[in-house]
Amino acid sequence: MNRVNDLVIKIATVNGTGSASANGLLMKSLFRMGIPVSGKNLFPSNIQGLPTWYEIRVNADGHTGRCPDIDIMVAMNKKTYTQDLEDVRAGGYVLYDSSWPLPKELLREDVTFISVPLARMCVENFEHSRERILMKNIAYVGALAALLNIELDVIENQFQEKFSSKPKLLDSNHQAIMLGYEYVKEQTDCPLPLHLERMEANDDYIMIDGNTAAGLGCLYAGATVGAWYPITPSTSLFDAFTRFCHKYRKDPETRKNRFCIIQSEDEIAAIGIVLGASWNGARAFTSTSGPGISLMNECIGLGYYAEIPAVIFDIQRVGPSTGMPTRTQQGDILSCAHASHGDTEHIVLFPANPEECFHLSVEAFDLAERFQTPVFVLSDLDIGMNDWRTKKIEWDDSYTPDRGKVLGKDELEKMETFHRYLDLDGDGIAARTLPGETAKGSYFLRGSGHNKHGIYTENPDEYQEVVDRLKRKMVGAREKLPAPIIHTRPGASAAIISLGSCDPAIREALAELENAGILLDYLRVRAFPFAQSVGDFIESYDSIYVVEQNRDGQLRSLLINQFETPPQKLVPLLVYGGMPLSAKDVLAGIEAQPLKDQEKPTKARV
């Protein structure tokens, strides 16, 4: 059966062997052929030696969520042969290195095996041992090019872009591609019935990961100070921001840096630096993951109570404790929404893709200064480190940062006395000043008990007056945050609520359900505290699935708490094993617990 531009490739290799470059070459080639494509990198938390996988999904309809049904397995790691071959669907293909025989007990009658002596060919054609290892990966790209009808000139153009100044590398990569390509062409009928054909579907799209997009968003937002401590999977966000700053944030005449990036001694120091820089008037941020949030909690509480702007990126991974550092999850929702001890509530933004990582990064800085509080951008490893086909990022050159209520010298001179925590407008937001503006704007920054005049207090009424204002400020923020995305269908009697990287899988599952005659509406929250439109959506249905990637239904808990929704109305659909969510997961969850008066989706298949 011919199947064009609809397949899943999984490549099984060993971490540290240089396969990432080959997999990137393959991914970019498919994208440049105009075909919708996405990539998931499943890598170990050590540096070298353990199994690693890369999954490429091609789908002409633009579905880019993970699909666990593997059509073509490139089996390059003997230690994982058993597991890898089990993952291949019936009727699929296995491309393996026949330099060593494949154990007979692994052979399957319902799978086609394609043998290519990759290691032997590289030993015969390349001189150095490291070169042989690296070129073996490029050779399997050549083999796939022949099997799947990938255009060679697209691959060669990438070599020219990367190695034009290095003729030896250009020659060796070209040779490796042709070794794999020509061998398969001679031995196998090509292309396979399962293959690729050029499309024009990517003209308005780019390939980018969420951490790079977020780093670019910080640059455009005007961030000049960043402090961080390395932790997977957030490190690449600061790597990207550093690259952008060195390119765009140097004085054109003196070439001096117009930015400050500090790798601090730990996460506690990082958030302290951010709060200090923000208090001084800079736009400052940090990035981390769950363990870093745990360490930052005391300083986050300081930022909330002393009302200091700060932006914190949490690229979530699997917990608790060290957990699985290189797997994805949405387990930090509650810990960020109410970070620190005492009564705290924080603004949290939930991007669903790299495009939103860019735009919500910018919005996070505006919100942090407008409401004078820490703001979290809650991404995850799937968004942050994987390859996403996303719409081109558009930027409005007329954008002006929203600095909020910052009093200048002229405004201060008109005032009899400045009180830092005095709310004059009734919206819960007190005006602030920046250091050095004028002595009249000076004040004590207090993380200890203080009254509305900024004076230390242990008086119960004075203390309550301040924290009640902070609560009023957060309530007022609800309708100023990014609005939820709502999709409705005439005739739908039930719905799904979700957030973040669940989005592609849910939208694909909804399409499958609709094909089976089952209609569900869908709301994706993009910010906490929730807007009233989220509550109105909940009120419109008898039952709603809440889809999220954690064990305890943390999004569901926040919804129940804010809107006082009866818990039985919100049905948890939870997937939290560390793999990116798939439409198959969503459909299985719905079929396992059908809602009242809702037909079981037995006809839907992904």
Side-chain angles (χ1 to χ4, degrees):
M1 179 182 67
N2 280 345
R3 187 140 56 93
V4 179
N5 294 344
D6 184 15
L7 57 91
V8 179
I9 307 167
K10 188 171 184 177
I11 302 166
T13 57
V14 177
N15 200 36
T17 59
S19 59
S21 296
N23 297 337
L25 170 68
L26 180 60
M27 166 70 72
K28 291 177 183 177
S29 297
L30 305 187
F31 180 79
R32 292 185 181 191
M33 286 177 64
I35 306 169
V37 63
S38 61
K40 308 291 185 187
N41 189 18
L42 311 173
F43 59 100
S45 57
N46 73 334
I47 296 174
Q48 186 169 331
L50 286 183
T52 185
W53 294 268
Y54 190 69
E55 295 180 356
I56 297 176
R57 182 174 185 191
V58 175
N59 184 270
D61 294 329
H63 294 306
T64 55
R66 181 175 182 263
C67 180
D69 298 321
I70 307 304
D71 295 296
I72 300 174
M73 175 66 70
V74 182
M76 301 292 290
N77 184 0
K78 291 191 293 183
K79 292 183 178 179
T80 61
Y81 271 173
T82 301
Q83 175 186 342
D84 295 336
L85 269 58
E86 287 177 353
D87 288 345
V88 183
R89 66 166 182 83
Y93 299 84
V94 175
L95 171 66
Y96 72 99
D97 187 350
S98 60
S99 302
W100 301 274
L102 189 70
K104 292 183 179 180
E105 62 270 18
L106 297 181
L107 297 177
R108 288 173 49 186
E109 293 183 358
D110 61 346
V111 169
T112 300
F113 289 84
I114 302 170
S115 61
V116 183
L118 296 164
R120 179 171 59 80
M121 290 192 302
C122 289
V123 168
E124 293 171 354
N125 287 274
F126 298 102
E127 181 179 355
H128 303 292
S129 59
R130 181 61 179 169
E131 185 181 32
R132 291 167 177 172
I133 294 172
L134 296 175
M135 290 304 110
K136 184 172 70 171
N137 296 324
I138 302 299
Y140 72 63
V141 175
L144 288 171
L147 292 169
L148 299 178
N149 194 37
I150 301 172
E151 298 171 8
L152 284 180
D153 61 340
V154 174
I155 297 174
E156 293 290 349
N157 286 340
Q158 291 185 69
F159 289 156
Q160 290 289 340
E161 292 171 7
K162 190 172 183 179
F163 303 122
S164 59
S165 61
K166 301 175 181 178
K168 289 185 178 180
L169 287 175
L170 184 64
D171 291 343
S172 60
N173 276 270
H174 170 77
Q175 184 180 4
I177 281 288
M178 297 312 299
L179 285 173
Y181 184 87
E182 292 173 349
Y183 184 90
V184 169
K185 277 285 190 180
E186 292 174 1
Q187 302 295 324
T188 308
D189 289 334
C190 296
L192 299 176
L194 194 70
H195 64 275
L196 306 171
E197 292 180 3
R198 175 172 282 276
M199 295 177 61
E200 301 298 334
N202 293 333
D203 291 348
D204 295 325
Y205 289 83
I206 59 173
M207 291 295 298
I208 193 172
D209 63 82
N211 283 352
T212 298
L216 185 61
C218 292
L219 182 86
Y220 276 112
T224 56
V225 176
W228 64 299
Y229 185 78
I231 182 172
T232 301
S234 74
T235 297
S236 60
L237 194 158
F238 256 92
D239 291 341
F241 180 69
T242 300
R243 290 196 306 272
F244 293 136
C245 283
H246 279 292
K247 186 171 183 178
Y248 299 109
R249 277 266 160 80
K250 285 183 177 287
D251 186 282
E253 295 181 0
T254 66
R255 302 305 298 163
K256 289 184 177 180
N257 293 340
R258 299 169 64 182
F259 60 92
C260 178
I261 298 173
I262 302 172
Q263 181 178 326
S264 58
E265 61 266 37
D266 55 33
E267 289 89 347
I268 301 172
I271 186 61
I273 292 166
V274 168
L275 291 174
S278 295
W279 175 76
N280 271 281
R283 285 197 151 184
F285 74 100
T286 187
S287 68
T288 188
S289 190
I293 296 294
S294 298
L295 289 170
M296 293 179 184
N297 261 249
E298 184 176 358
C299 281
I300 291 170
L302 170 64
Y304 174 81
Y305 191 33
E307 299 180 73
I308 308 170
V311 173
I312 303 165
F313 291 87
D314 179 1
I315 317 301
Q316 298 169 95
R317 67 188 203 183
V318 174
S321 187
T322 303
M324 296 190 291
T326 58
R327 295 291 182 263
T328 195
Q329 205 174 73
Q330 296 171 324
D332 299 348
I333 297 171
L334 283 175
S335 64
C336 289
H338 297 288
S340 196
H341 56 281
D343 292 317
T344 56
E345 184 176 70
H346 303 290
I347 295 172
V348 187
L349 307 183
F350 305 106
N353 51 59
E355 182 190 14
E356 287 194 341
C357 284
F358 174 82
H359 291 295
L360 293 188
S361 296
V362 179
E363 192 143 7
F365 285 96
D366 283 352
L367 292 169
E369 295 204 288
R370 187 184 310 161
F371 294 101
Q372 300 173 29
T373 193
V375 171
F376 291 86
V377 181
L378 214 58
S379 178
D380 59 37
L381 183 146
D382 184 21
I383 299 174
M385 295 192 70
N386 283 328
D387 298 314
W388 288 65
R389 171 184 178 262
T390 192
K391 290 183 179 179
K392 289 181 179 179
I393 294 172
E394 301 290 340
W395 181 250
D396 181 3
D397 286 332
S398 65
Y399 165 74
T400 302
D402 183 351
R403 305 305 303 267
K405 296 181 182 179
V406 180
L407 299 179
K409 183 176 181 180
D410 293 341
E411 295 167 295
L412 287 166
E413 290 302 322
K414 296 175 184 177
M415 301 176 65
E416 183 175 344
T417 308
F418 169 71
H419 298 291
R420 171 64 181 94
Y421 299 112
L422 190 61
D423 176 17
L424 298 176
D425 300 330
D427 59 2
I429 305 171
R432 64 185 177 120
T433 60
L434 299 180
E437 189 68 44
T438 173
K440 199 171 186 179
S442 62
Y443 62 94
F444 281 106
L445 181 73
R446 294 193 184 277
S448 55
H450 53 268
N451 63 18
K452 63 184 178 182
H453 301 295
I455 299 171
Y456 178 80
T457 186
E458 295 184 10
N459 180 281
D461 292 335
E462 291 183 331
Y463 164 79
Q464 286 186 207
E465 183 180 19
V466 171
V467 294
D468 286 349
R469 176 180 60 78
L470 294 179
K471 178 64 176 178
R472 188 167 70 253
K473 178 172 73 171
M474 297 306 294
V475 170
R478 293 176 183 176
E479 303 303 325
K480 305 293 194 303
L481 306 182
I485 304 297
I486 302 175
H487 299 280
T488 58
R489 295 167 172 79
S493 60
I496 290 175
I497 293 178
S498 190
L499 77 172
S501 61
C502 298
D503 183 59
I506 291 172
R507 287 188 286 106
E508 183 177 0
L510 290 174
E512 289 291 330
L513 290 168
E514 188 169 3
N515 290 336
I518 300 167
L519 300 177
L520 293 178
D521 289 341
Y522 174 38
L523 181 146
R524 175 166 63 86
V525 299
R526 296 200 298 160
F528 173 82
F530 308 117
Q532 184 55 45
S533 57
V534 179
D536 295 340
F537 185 87
I538 293 173
E539 285 294 317
S540 301
Y541 305 90
D542 292 330
S543 298
I544 297 174
Y545 293 106
V546 182
V547 181
E548 50 188 311
Q549 297 180 76
N550 56 69
R551 185 194 66 184
D552 295 335
Q554 296 182 27
L555 170 61
R556 178 174 176 267
S557 295
L558 290 177
L559 292 167
I560 291 170
N561 184 57
Q562 180 171 322
F563 298 112
E564 300 182 355
T565 303
Q568 63 272 19
K569 185 173 186 174
L570 300 179
V571 179
L573 200 166
L574 309 175
V575 180
Y576 46 89
M579 302 297 282
L581 189 71
S582 72
K584 195 170 185 177
D585 295 325
V586 179
L587 294 170
I590 292 174
E591 186 167 8
Q593 45 185 353
L595 301 179
K596 183 180 179 182
D597 300 325
Q598 183 75 27
E599 180 187 346
K600 293 180 71 172
T602 53
K603 299 178 184 177
R605 185 185 72 82
V606 174

